[in-house]
C-alpha cells in the first residue's frame, strides 16, 4: 500500500506526491486518443475500429476500441503499475474474475481486454454477495495454483520474509499478529493477494452472468485480503445495505470457508483489529460491531 484523509482505507493507505512519475501521460483526451490509436496500429494491428478515450490521467488512461466497443485498451505511465496489472492476469485468469485478456505489450505498457459495457447493480443484496464471493476467490487463489505458478510466487508465501515487515506499517508487532491469524486460516503456503481497487464502476457483469473486476492494477501479493474486506464494508454502507459491517464479515467468512480457508468470525475480527493497529486505519466501517 503506497495516509489518505478520506475513503475506506483512510489512515492506512499512503498516496504518492504529485510529480513522482518521470514520464506522465497526457491528460488531454483528444491527444490521449490519438496516442492510443498509434499504439493500436503498431502493437495490436488486429484490433480494428475507432478509439474513444474514457479517462485520461497522468498515471493511466483507458480507451474503448471499436464501434460498438469490443475491447478496452488500458495504458500505464508507470512500469510497476503495468506489471502489477499484468501479473494479476497471470495469477487470476483461472478463477475467471477478470475480463478476458486479449493481448498485452510491455513496450507500450498496455493491455487489451474484453469490453464489459455495464456496471453491476450492487444495491441488489444478492449481487453484492456475489461480489464478496469474487473477492474471496481472489484471496484464496494461491491455493488453486498449479506448480508452475506456485514456484515463482514462493517468495511471497505468508511464512516467508517478503511480507513480514513492510516499510509502510506503523506497528510491526501488530502486523505480525495479523499475519499469524492469516497463516492459521490459509496455511503456510498462502500468498496473501489483496488491495483490489473496489468500487461500483469497477464491478461488471460478464456474459455468462458472473461478475468481473475491470481494474486490478493495485493488486499486490504482500498486503493480505483484509483491506478489501474493509473496503467491502465501506462500499456496502455507502450503498445502504442494512447492518453492512456484520453482514459483510459473516458472508466473507462463509465464502472463504467454502473455498477451503479456516477463518472463524472471531479470528477474522481479531485480524481486522490488528490490521487497523498496524496500519493506522481510522475505521473498520462497522466490521467490528
Amino acid at each position: 500500500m503506497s495516509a489518505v484523509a478520506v475513503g475506506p482505507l483512510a489512515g492506512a493507505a499512503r498516496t504518492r506526491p504529485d510529480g513522482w512519475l518521470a514520464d506522465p501521460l497526457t491528460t488531454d483526451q483528444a491527444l490521449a486518443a490519438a496516442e492510443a490509436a498509434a499504439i493500436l496500429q503498431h502493437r495490436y494491428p488486429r484490433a480494428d475500429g475507432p478509439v474513444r478515450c474514457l479517462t485520461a490521467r497522468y498515471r493511466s488512461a483507458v480507451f474503448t476500441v471499436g464501434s460498438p466497443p469490443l475491447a478496452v485498451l488500458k495504458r500505464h505511465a508507470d512500469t510497476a503499475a503495468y506489471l502489477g496489472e499484468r501479473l494479476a492476469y497471470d495469477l487470476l485468469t483461472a478463477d475467471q474474475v477478470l475480463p478476458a485478456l486479449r493481448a498485452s505489450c510491455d513496450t507500450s505498457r498496455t493491455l487489451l481486454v474484453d469490453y464489459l459495457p455495464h456496471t453491476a447493480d450492487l444495491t441488489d443484496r444478492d449481487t453484492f454477495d456475489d461480489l464478496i464471493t469474487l473477492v474471496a476467490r481472489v484471496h484464496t487463489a494461491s491455493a488453486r495454483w498449479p506448480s508452475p505458478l506456485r514456484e515463482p510466487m514462493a517468495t511471497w508465501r505468508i511464512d516467508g520474509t517478503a511480507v513480514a515487515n513492510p516499510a509502510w506499517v506503523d506497528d510491526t508487532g501488530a502486523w505480525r499478529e495479523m499475519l499469524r491469524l492469516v497463516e492459521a486460516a490459509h496455511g503456510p503456503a498462502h500468498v496473501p493477494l489483496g488491495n483490489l481497487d473496489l468500487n461500483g464502476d469497477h464491478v461488471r457483469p460478464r456474459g455468462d452472468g458472473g461478475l468481473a473486476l475491470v481494474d486490478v492494477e493495485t493488486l499486490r501479493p504482500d498486503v493480505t485480503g483484509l483491506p478489501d474486506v474493509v473496503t467491502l464494508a465501506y462500499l456496502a454502507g455507502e450503498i445502504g445495505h442494512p447492518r453492512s459491517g456484520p453482514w459483510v464479515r459473516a458472508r466473507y467468512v462463509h465464502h472463504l470457508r467454502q473455498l477451503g480457508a479456516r477463518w472463524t468470525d472471531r479470528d477474522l475480527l481479531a485480524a481486522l483489529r490488528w490490521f487497523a493497529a498496524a496500519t493506522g486505519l481510522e475505521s473498520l466501517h462497522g466490521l467490528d460491531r
Side-chain angles (χ1 to χ4, degrees), residues 4 8 17 22 31 46-47 104 117 125-126 131 138-139 152 163 173 177 197 221 224 228 245 249:
V4 295
L31 180 56
R46 295 183 180 179
S104 64
R125 201 170 178 88
D126 290 340
L131 172 60
V138 172
H139 293 170
V163 300
E177 286 297 316
D197 189 2
T224 80
D228 299 327
R249 195 177 80 228

Side-chain angles (χ1 to χ4, degrees), residues 101-230:
L101 178 66
R102 297 186 173 203
S104 64
C105 174
D106 294 352
T107 303
S108 61
R109 299 186 296 270
T110 56
L111 303 96
L112 190 70
V113 303
D114 278 357
Y115 175 66
L116 301 177
H118 305 296
T119 56
D121 180 13
L122 297 180
T123 64
D124 179 79
R125 201 170 178 88
D126 290 340
T127 302
F128 201 103
D129 191 46
D130 289 342
L131 172 60
I132 300 173
T133 306
L134 182 153
V135 172
R137 289 193 65 81
V138 172
H139 293 170
T140 58
S142 64
R144 297 180 294 278
W145 288 344
S147 294
L149 191 54
R150 285 200 306 269
E151 291 168 4
M153 292 301 295
T155 300
W156 302 102
R157 282 173 46 140
I158 195 80
D159 62 350
T161 60
V163 300
N165 295 298
W168 47 269
V169 166
D170 297 328
D171 184 335
T172 56
W175 182 260
R176 286 192 292 272
E177 286 297 316
M178 179 207 71
L179 291 181
R180 178 181 61 80
L181 291 166
V182 174
E183 182 176 346
H186 291 274
H190 175 64
V191 175
L193 295 179
N195 200 44
L196 297 163
D197 189 2
L198 297 172
N199 65 60
D201 189 53
H202 290 166
V203 184
R204 303 288 176 106
R206 298 196 313 261
D208 62 4
L211 296 181
L213 298 174
V214 300
D215 194 334
V216 289
E217 67 184 80
T218 58
L219 185 76
R220 288 174 50 167
D222 62 346
V223 299
T224 80
L226 296 179
D228 299 327
V229 184
V230 175

